[in-house]
Amino acid sequence: MYHIKNPIIIIDGSLYLYSSYYGFSNVKNFLGEPSGAIYGILNIINNILIKYKDLKKIIIIFDSSKKTFRTKLFKEYKKNRPSMPLELFVQIKPLFEILKKIGIQVFKIPGIEADDIIGSLAFQLEKKGETVLIISHDKDMQQLVTKNINILNKKNNTIITPEIIKKKYGIKPIEFIDFLALIGDISDNIPGVPKVGIKTALSLLNSFSNLNNIYDNIEKIPFLPIRNAKNITIQLKKNKEIAFLSYQLATIKLDIPINITSNQIFSKKDCIKNLLNFLKNYFLRN
């Protein structure tokens, strides 16, 4: 298996907070309090500690609120997502406390989505010469992939590299933004261009590379070997504003100022010891 040497690992905390909550909904602590989200996040960290013997640091990122620059651009953005369940909300404070105790850095910035913090932090670390591994199965993250920034998809335990994206989609990682702008994203309520599916979007990008070039060459599209090319051209013309709005919504920001306390010492040995002590006391104490 492809191995990342000496990585700084960034975990998409908000993503796994919810998946852990629903995946371990029956897990409770020794007091009978809901603890599935805590258990799931700590289980991910434990697996990372076991698998990556030479990791430098683990950083975990969380959302802070629903209101961001994207909701100002498009009020329907993520509107289909329900409010946080109370049984999940009560787990956040103890989760943050244990993450601090075991030596995991937590980043959470008011009004900034976790994706934007992850993107900005990853590129900031890459500029400093670090190798970054992002733990996430959010497809949006694929736009961040470079030679030194890879993604571990825990759903299928595969490492996503530029070569993997090229092989699967035929496009570069940065073109994944244009891809999402065309097809949309149901999970985030990004509209995309109606009638443009995955195959059509990839055909357009293989021909013209990006959204700007597609619109600069829109009169050539009816002559491409694309199914319903004339209708696709009509849809593109009709929904140009939506396409570029979708591009803005899909683009992960890379310029969020983040104060990285790089001098913080991370001891894997202490992290494992503290994690095991916490799990024993929190879940098993009589």
Side-chain angles (χ1 to χ4, degrees):
M1 178 183 278
Y2 186 86
H3 182 69
I4 311 293
K5 292 183 178 179
N6 304 114
I8 290 179
I9 291 177
I10 302 176
I11 303 173
D12 187 348
S14 290
L15 177 69
Y16 290 111
L17 188 69
Y18 279 88
S19 63
S20 296
Y21 169 72
Y22 290 110
F24 300 103
S25 58
N26 294 325
V27 174
K28 300 183 185 300
N29 66 7
F30 72 97
L31 292 174
E33 298 167 336
S35 304
I38 296 172
Y39 176 81
I41 293 285
L42 296 183
N43 189 49
I44 289 170
I45 291 170
N46 183 56
N47 289 337
I48 289 169
L49 291 169
I50 292 170
K51 183 173 181 179
Y52 290 91
K53 312 293 184 186
D54 55 355
L55 66 89
K56 287 188 174 182
K57 188 178 295 188
I58 299 175
I59 302 169
I60 187 163
I61 312 297
F62 292 94
D63 289 321
S64 61
S65 66
K66 283 189 173 182
K67 292 184 178 180
T68 67
F69 82 93
R70 291 183 182 86
T71 54
K72 292 178 181 178
L73 280 174
F74 185 55
K75 65 180 181 180
E76 300 297 316
Y77 179 72
K78 289 190 176 181
K79 194 175 181 180
N80 53 350
R81 296 194 182 184
S83 299
M84 180 181 289
L86 179 60
E87 286 197 341
L88 174 55
F89 179 78
V90 298
Q91 297 181 56
I92 292 177
K93 185 177 179 180
L95 173 62
F96 281 18
E97 287 174 354
I98 182 53
L99 290 173
K100 184 178 179 181
K101 285 178 182 177
I102 66 176
I104 307 298
Q105 277 190 284
V106 176
F107 280 102
K108 178 180 170 185
I109 303 174
I112 306 295
E113 282 189 67
D115 288 7
D116 297 315
I117 303 174
I118 292 170
S120 298
L121 181 58
F123 274 75
Q124 192 172 331
L125 289 168
E126 184 186 40
K127 286 180 181 178
K128 293 188 174 188
E130 302 288 357
T131 299
V132 178
L133 181 63
I134 299 170
I135 312 294
S136 179
H137 56 255
D138 188 340
K139 62 179 177 293
D140 301 7
M141 291 289 172
Q142 294 182 77
Q143 65 187 268
L144 301 176
V145 172
T146 68
K147 180 182 177 182
N148 298 309
I149 301 174
N150 294 162
I151 296 171
L152 171 61
N153 182 338
K154 286 194 67 61
K155 278 191 171 181
N156 53 25
N157 206 34
T158 57
I159 300 288
I160 300 173
T161 64
E163 293 75 22
I164 292 294
I165 293 174
K166 185 70 175 177
K167 183 178 180 180
K168 183 174 181 179
Y169 296 101
I171 59 177
K172 299 174 183 177
I174 191 63
E175 294 168 355
F176 212 83
I177 307 171
D178 306 85
F179 178 60
L180 292 174
L182 290 166
I183 68 169
D185 186 351
I186 294 174
S187 64
D188 288 341
N189 226 26
I190 296 175
V193 178
K195 309 297 183 183
V196 174
I198 292 174
K199 288 184 178 180
T200 299
L202 291 177
S203 294
L204 290 169
L205 290 173
N206 286 329
S207 297
F208 303 115
S209 297
N210 57 57
L211 199 62
N212 281 318
N213 285 344
I214 288 170
Y215 276 97
D216 286 344
N217 294 277
I218 200 161
E219 300 304 333
K220 297 178 183 178
I221 294 174
F223 304 101
L224 294 178
I226 296 175
R227 187 179 179 184
N228 296 322
K230 289 184 179 179
N231 288 334
I232 293 300
T233 304
I234 292 169
Q235 289 296 328
L236 285 166
K237 287 180 177 180
K238 185 179 177 181
N239 295 282
K240 182 176 181 179
E241 188 175 332
I242 292 174
F244 281 96
L245 170 62
S246 297
Y247 184 92
Q248 284 183 279
L249 296 173
T251 302
I252 293 175
K253 293 181 74 64
L254 307 177
D255 58 355
I256 305 298
I258 299 171
N259 181 25
I260 305 173
T261 54
S262 55
N263 59 341
Q264 179 186 3
I265 297 172
F266 175 78
S267 168
K268 181 179 176 181
K269 183 179 178 181
D270 289 343
C271 187
I272 293 173
K273 179 183 175 182
N274 293 334
L275 178 57
L276 291 175
N277 284 336
F278 173 81
L279 291 172
K280 179 180 177 181
N281 288 317
Y282 195 74
F283 290 102
L284 302 178
R285 187 166 59 184
N286 294 320

